[in-house]
Amino acid sequence: MKARKRDIEQRMARFNEACRKSGAKLTHQRMEIFHEVAQTGDHPDAEKVFHGVRERMPTVSQDTVYRTLWWLKDLGLITTLGPPRERTRFDANLNRHHHFVCVKCGLTQDFYSDKLDKLTLPESVQSIGHVETTQVEVKGICLKCAAKEKPAKQFKKRG
Ligand SMILES: [Zn+2]
Ligand SMILES: [Zn+2]
């Protein structure tokens, strides 16, 4: 699933700005790696980013991709979601949003909700720590996986 063009442009602009501000060198390789995350709505893990980038840059090493992803995270350009660490997924959507996670295939898709943004948490949370943001993760079975499990009934077209 591809991100919207407007979002991709906004993300690339933010990337350029962050590199300039931090004084980091804006290399072609870094740009390609960020673009790989920025252009997708799939929340890829490092492995998937590596494969995507390698299609356009066959010489890129896995190590470079991993290091660059964590560097991008330090710059605040991407966030990570969910343990465990070796399967960390990266997200270039920095707007307030929530996730639908398919428990079968791992599809992670963004959705938006003003209501969930304003979710009231139980007081017990305060005894654990100070809350900064709330992000809801909905788990379920995506339509694709559901269709595989129960082959859709064949509807005959009328007329
Ligand atoms: Zn699925
Ligand atoms: Zn997301």
Side-chain angles (χ1 to χ4, degrees), residues 71-112:
W71 172 74
L72 289 165
K73 185 186 183 303
D74 288 343
L75 276 182
L77 287 167
I78 55 177
T79 60
T80 57
L81 45 128
R85 200 173 170 79
E86 64 272 17
R87 292 288 296 187
T88 300
R89 287 161 163 266
F90 297 89
D91 192 352
N93 187 354
L94 301 182
N95 298 323
R96 267 277 353 232
H97 69 284
H98 307 276
H99 289 137
F100 179 99
V101 180
C102 175
V103 296
K104 292 252 170 200
C105 68
L107 164 98
T108 305
Q109 204 158 306
D110 298 337
F111 69 92
Y112 300 87

Side-chain angles (χ1 to χ4, degrees), residues 12 14 16 29 31 36 39 53 55 62 79 99 102 104-106 110 119 144 158:
M12 293 316 291
R14 196 159 52 205
N16 287 320
Q29 220 170 34
M31 205 187 76
E36 184 64 25
Q39 57 83 35
V53 172
E55 274 177 30
Q62 188 164 2
T79 60
H99 289 137
C102 175
K104 292 252 170 200
C105 68
D110 298 337
L119 203 65
K144 246 190 188 168
R158 284 189 187 185

Side-chain angles (χ1 to χ4, degrees), residues 1-18 34-43 77-78 91-95 97 110 112:
M1 194 192 63
K2 259 191 170 296
R4 288 177 303 182
K5 193 164 173 267
R6 187 164 55 91
D7 287 339
I8 301 172
E9 283 168 4
Q10 192 194 57
R11 289 165 188 177
M12 293 316 291
R14 196 159 52 205
F15 170 76
N16 287 320
E17 177 74 10
F34 179 69
H35 187 259
E36 184 64 25
V37 185
Q39 57 83 35
T40 177
D42 281 350
H43 309 78
L77 287 167
I78 55 177
D91 192 352
N93 187 354
L94 301 182
N95 298 323
H97 69 284
D110 298 337
Y112 300 87

